[in-house]
Amino acid sequence: MKREGKSNGTQIKIIFWLLSAGFLAFFVCVIVAPIRAAKAKADEMNCCNHIKDLAVEMRIYESDNGDTFPPVNGWCDALIENGTNQPSPRILSFRCPAASKKQTCGYTINSNLGNVMDTTQIPGDTVVLFESDAGWNSAGGHTNAVARHYGSRLLVAFADGSVKDVKLGELEKLRWIPATNATRDEVK
């Protein structure tokens, strides 16, 4: 007697391939998620090092230039010209690893620092640099900030040289306007 339909051998092969594909998909998900998390953490650590280096280089610029910040409309160029940052080998220090590869600078200077003449009078908790997509030599405020880490977090460098991980929604609460008597507007 002849049976109709596929043989048991073919059915077993199909079931085997379906189970193999399901197991492979599960295995890839289990492996890929931790790898992505590790890469995100490494990117955040590199970004923290980059913004910390820039904050240090800003302090060197200040000490070399009479305790003044670099011009807010040319701060990247000023750091390079000051000799604290070499353009070719260190250009990546201006870019967060989590930012677009096409972006040359992933940080923005606080535009309120443009009027400051004496950086020694600025409170240490004043925002100096923060993550942004505004580009090279950009200046701005909290509305220019971009959260690149864990969805809604970004790194901010302060006048005292510290770097903190801040939630995007908490940026407005930070000190953006330096409380100092030594501003260019008052000298005019």
Side-chain angles (χ1 to χ4, degrees):
M1 193 166 164
K2 198 173 184 183
R3 290 192 298 183
E4 293 193 26
K6 295 186 179 187
S7 69
N8 276 345
T10 305
Q11 290 172 349
I12 291 174
K13 286 179 185 177
I14 291 172
I15 291 171
F16 173 77
W17 285 110
L18 288 173
L19 287 174
S20 296
F23 178 74
L24 182 62
F26 174 76
F27 184 71
V28 166
C29 290
V30 167
I31 296 297
V32 169
I35 290 173
R36 283 186 181 163
K39 183 183 180 330
K41 189 63 178 169
D43 283 350
E44 182 180 11
M45 290 173 61
N46 283 332
C47 180
C48 185
N49 288 336
H50 293 177
I51 198 167
K52 180 76 171 172
D53 287 347
L54 290 172
V56 167
E57 290 172 10
M58 296 228 4
R59 301 295 291 196
I60 293 169
Y61 179 94
E62 293 168 29
S63 67
D64 289 349
N65 293 280
D67 290 323
T68 60
F69 282 110
V72 293
N73 61 351
W75 69 274
C76 297
D77 294 332
L79 290 182
I80 290 171
E81 290 171 17
N82 196 55
T84 60
N85 202 340
Q86 300 301 316
S88 296
R90 300 264 321 215
I91 194 77
L92 287 179
S93 69
F94 284 98
R95 191 181 65 76
C96 173
S100 165
K101 300 281 187 229
K102 295 177 182 177
Q103 192 173 25
T104 56
C105 186
Y107 308 102
T108 295
I109 192 171
N110 179 355
S111 60
N112 294 311
L113 302 178
N115 289 335
V116 176
M117 287 191 65
D118 185 0
T119 59
T120 62
Q121 301 298 315
I122 294 178
D125 63 344
T126 304
V127 173
V128 175
L129 295 170
F130 57 96
E131 291 187 80
S132 171
D133 287 334
W136 192 259
N137 285 327
S138 62
H142 64 85
T143 57
N144 302 104
V146 173
R148 293 194 182 104
H149 307 288
Y150 299 113
S152 63
R153 304 186 76 77
L154 69 145
L155 295 172
V156 177
F158 295 90
D160 65 2
S162 65
V163 174
K164 293 181 182 165
D165 182 0
V166 179
K167 287 183 181 177
L168 192 58
E170 296 175 358
L171 281 177
E172 289 184 57
K173 298 175 186 173
L174 300 177
R175 182 188 302 269
W176 289 89
I177 299 173
T180 176
N181 295 327
T183 63
R184 288 191 178 105
D185 290 339
E186 294 170 352
V187 173
K188 287 182 182 176

